[in-house]
Amino acid sequence: MKVRLGNIELANPVIPASGTCGFGQEMSEWLDLNCLGAVSTKGTTREARYGNALPRIAECPAGLLNAIGLQNPGVDAVIAHEIPALRRVYKGPIIANISGFSIEEYAYVCERIDRETDAAILEVNISCPNVQHGGMAFGTSAQAAAEVTRAVKAVTHKPVYMKLSPNVTDITAIACACVESGADGLCLINTVLGMRIDIRRRQPVLANRYGGYSGPGVFPIALRMVNQVSKACPGVPIIGCGGVSSAQEVIEMMMGGASAVEIGAANLQQPGVCRQIIEDLPRVMRELKINHLQDIIGIV
Amino acid sequence: MKSEWHIVSNERIAERVFRMILRGDTAGIAPGQFVEVLVPGCYLRRPLSVGDVTDDRLTLIYKMVGEGTARMAQMSSGQTLDILTGLGHGYDLTKAGEQVLLIGGGVGVPPLMYAAKELRAAGKHVQVVMGFNSKGEVFGEDTFRAMGCEVTVCTMDGSYGTRGVVTDVLPTPTPFYYACGPMPMIKAILRTAGTNGQISMEERMGCGVGLCMGCTIETTEGFQRVCKEGPVFNAGALKV
């Protein structure tokens, strides 16, 4: 089940996605984190953030909207408390997810995480759709995405994976801009911008009005985009993310071009789902006559 | 803990209010904690308070308010449900003196039933004040009386018990209290009865287990997740 993300080997391709496992340690009540391929931590910013007003969750058919608004304790506390707490229960690769509201903030947080933690990969969120004046602008412009990539690459020797927004006309243009600016890999997709209305109150369900849609409903969209990007950027490792809930879908995402797969919304319904998927993978591989997962990446 | 539960019964006990009794592993479910029910056909689990626990039986009392609870109301004995149990921090019953006050509003009453049972077993004198909109919604009075609690019921429209809200009929001086109910009631309790108590909060949740930060509120002790650090908070910690 081993896979590679560049020079980093993962025991398996399954990674709980940023924002759906806290800083990792929160999930350890439901599974042994050491069974995971890697852990992607909660999006981290320079300052502590409360996030958006409540309610910030809205259910949808086949998923949910969230407008958490990047609640996190800030990079100082993440380095001092959260990463050490994760390290007490988890030995594997850490993917540090980083957000920012300016190029300088991205660079600052990446530099701190690079210098003061043993994170294996920096996953740079340029796509979070639920923060006003936030990541959206960077992730929807090839030029802005490239600027963030260059700024981050200038301050770290760790592999940088840009996490892309699906809320764009042509995701391959953004992907290529990131790769040309030095990105070591890509992670896609972030949530799809959506809305629900409470028809009795005649108000948006979310206090933030709009939020990011994730869950099984976005899986075909994510798979299509992973496939397009894998063709447009051959040889660039992709972490596929979006609506994956089963071992079969992990394999589907890998056949579409992903080298590893993040599990997001499914954790919120079944906090032990990542372990279940990892346990199911060998059986599904046997059924499909797959000897090594590495062999199926991007074969479709 | 995640486990499978068998529905033993599921019946309407008041207007839009149902009581579901399930059989399963009841280990480690404390008063004031909640469970997360995966309702077939809905993506997110439904957080529900615990009305009672005896041997291998779990009692959930829920109000039909949306799609999930409407689906639950249609379920019957023999069906099974995937439920996460023992979630969050419940009431700290060691804080109670010999006299205890329980204050509940609507479907905020069920967690107080389980708390009352434990408090009575510990020999406490338990006063219960419950508020409802109208007579048709009233439930739980007999349950509390059977435990030996002193019960006062009030309704907004005066169709049963005392007309008015719970804070109109709180005893003075007010002993240490445990409360659960809608936000206007919680604000009124804090105004009237002060902060010598514990209050269970309700918020829209994503995961219910501390992963998504969907239900975070601001308290005097910083940002806290209703599902994880809560749902029960010291009244003095709340900023409402």
Side-chain angles (χ1 to χ4, degrees):
Chain A
M1 289 204 286
K2 283 179 187 166
V3 293
R4 299 193 74 82
L5 284 174
N7 295 326
I8 297 158
E9 187 176 86
L10 310 186
N12 64 68
V14 178
I15 306 166
S18 179
T20 65
C21 61
F23 282 91
Q25 176 263 331
E26 289 90 334
M27 190 179 260
S28 62
E29 198 179 316
W30 303 92
L31 49 78
D32 178 356
L33 295 177
N34 293 301
C35 77
L36 301 167
V39 170
S40 179
T41 52
K42 176 82 183 145
T44 299
T45 53
R46 178 163 45 196
E47 320 292 348
R49 289 176 54 84
Y50 169 71
N52 292 321
L54 304 180
R56 46 198 196 184
I57 297 283
E59 190 177 48
C60 301
L64 70 146
L65 296 182
N66 88 80
I68 306 297
L70 292 174
Q71 183 190 333
N72 80 95
V75 68
D76 289 343
V78 169
I79 290 168
H81 307 298
E82 303 294 347
I83 301 287
L86 172 57
R87 270 292 170 238
R88 282 195 282 278
V89 290
Y90 173 67
K91 297 182 185 68
I94 293 174
I95 299 176
N97 185 286
I98 288 149
S99 291
F101 299 89
S102 65
I103 303 267
E104 295 71 36
E105 182 174 0
Y106 278 113
Y108 175 81
V109 179
C110 284
E111 189 175 8
R112 293 284 308 277
I113 296 282
D114 174 271
R115 217 166 357 114
E116 300 174 57
T117 77
D118 65 346
I121 289 174
L122 303 183
E123 181 180 81
V124 182
N125 172 18
I126 51 168
S127 46
C128 193
N130 52 18
V131 179
Q132 287 160 354
H133 316 295
M136 188 74 188
F138 295 106
T140 53
S141 144
Q143 192 191 333
E147 276 179 52
V148 177
T149 310
R150 278 195 295 273
V152 169
K153 281 298 290 180
V155 297
T156 181
H157 297 292
K158 292 186 177 184
V160 170
Y161 281 58
M162 304 305 283
K163 185 163 181 179
L164 305 183
S165 167
N167 306 307
V168 294
T169 308
D170 178 8
I171 197 165
T172 63
I174 315 278
C176 293
C178 291
V179 171
E180 283 159 16
S181 305
D184 300 279
L186 300 165
C187 176
L188 61 147
I189 58 174
N190 206 312
T191 54
V192 179
L193 198 56
M195 181 184 196
R196 293 306 306 269
I197 292 172
D198 181 333
I199 57 174
R200 287 196 182 81
R201 289 172 49 241
R202 305 184 180 200
Q203 297 273 331
V205 173
L206 296 171
N208 192 53
R209 195 173 191 91
Y210 308 126
Y213 179 39
S214 62
V218 309
F219 177 70
I221 301 171
L223 180 59
R224 182 263 297 177
M225 289 188 161
V226 164
N227 195 238
Q228 286 177 322
V229 168
S230 74
K231 305 297 178 200
C233 310
V236 176
I238 295 172
I239 302 174
C241 181
V244 177
S245 319
S246 67
Q248 286 83 354
E249 287 164 348
V250 166
I251 286 171
E252 196 173 340
M253 192 62 103
M254 294 185 75
M255 287 182 173
S259 293
V261 178
E262 288 185 0
I263 313 295
N267 296 314
L268 308 187
Q269 186 194 72
Q270 298 285 2
V273 72
C274 285
R275 182 193 57 218
Q276 189 61 51
I277 291 171
I278 292 162
E279 285 171 8
D280 289 347
L281 265 172
R283 176 180 52 78
V284 178
M285 287 169 64
R286 272 197 305 279
E287 284 168 14
L288 298 170
K289 301 186 167 51
I290 297 167
N291 291 325
H292 306 288
L293 285 178
Q294 200 72 35
D295 300 340
I296 62 165
I297 297 168
I299 59 167
V300 176
Chain B
M1 185 175 74
K2 173 182 151 82
S3 56
E4 190 182 71
W5 292 77
H6 298 267
I7 299 173
V8 175
S9 63
N10 188 26
E11 56 182 349
R12 183 184 174 281
I13 57 167
E15 222 168 88
R16 303 180 75 82
V17 178
F18 292 77
R19 176 174 53 217
M20 182 181 278
I21 297 176
L22 300 115
R23 192 180 75 247
D25 185 351
T26 56
I29 305 177
Q33 285 190 314
F34 68 102
V35 301
E36 278 269 39
V37 180
L38 184 57
V39 181
C42 295
Y43 192 72
L44 294 173
R45 289 171 184 269
R46 265 49 185 175
L48 295 174
S49 62
V50 174
D52 193 18
V53 171
T54 44
D55 302 326
D56 64 347
R57 301 293 160 100
L58 169 69
T59 301
L60 303 177
I61 294 174
Y62 59 96
K63 188 172 185 179
M64 204 166 73
V65 290
E67 195 191 337
T69 41
R71 285 174 188 265
M72 278 183 71
Q74 296 298 315
M75 300 188 82
S76 52
S77 63
Q79 289 182 272
T80 59
L81 283 169
D82 166 352
I83 303 180
L84 309 179
T85 56
L87 304 179
H89 287 86
Y91 294 111
D92 179 356
L93 299 182
T94 65
K95 284 178 174 275
E98 286 314 301
Q99 301 277 334
V100 195
L101 174 64
L102 305 181
I103 315 169
V107 280
V109 167
L112 302 176
M113 292 176 164
Y114 186 19
K117 187 170 91 166
E118 299 292 310
L119 288 164
R120 288 295 298 146
K124 310 285 184 183
H125 181 263
V126 180
Q127 283 177 279
V128 182
V129 176
M130 308 192 279
F132 299 90
N133 287 313
S134 63
K135 187 179 178 183
E137 296 179 7
V138 177
F139 66 90
E141 190 180 1
D142 294 345
T143 309
F144 284 114
R145 287 199 200 284
M147 291 176 198
C149 303
E150 195 181 306
V151 185
T152 307
V153 180
C154 43
T155 52
M156 296 284 274
D157 64 1
S159 54
Y160 189 81
T162 311
R163 177 193 291 268
V165 294
V166 291
T167 44
D168 296 337
V169 293
L170 294 183
T172 45
T174 309
F176 192 87
Y177 67 82
Y178 300 100
C180 185
M183 189 55 83
M185 190 194 96
I186 289 170
K187 287 182 178 176
I189 291 171
L190 289 169
R191 253 194 333 266
T192 315
T195 56
N196 188 32
Q198 289 195 318
I199 295 177
S200 181
M201 299 293 282
E202 186 179 353
E203 283 298 343
R204 192 178 286 260
M205 292 177 184
C207 63
V209 298
L211 300 175
C212 75
M213 320 288 162
C215 62
T216 307
I217 60 169
E218 197 185 347
T219 72
T220 56
E221 288 153 41
F223 303 144
Q224 304 219 305
R225 295 162 293 186
V226 170
C227 74
K228 196 69 186 174
E229 286 78 36
V232 174
F233 294 91
N234 289 323
L238 295 174
K239 291 183 173 179
V240 295

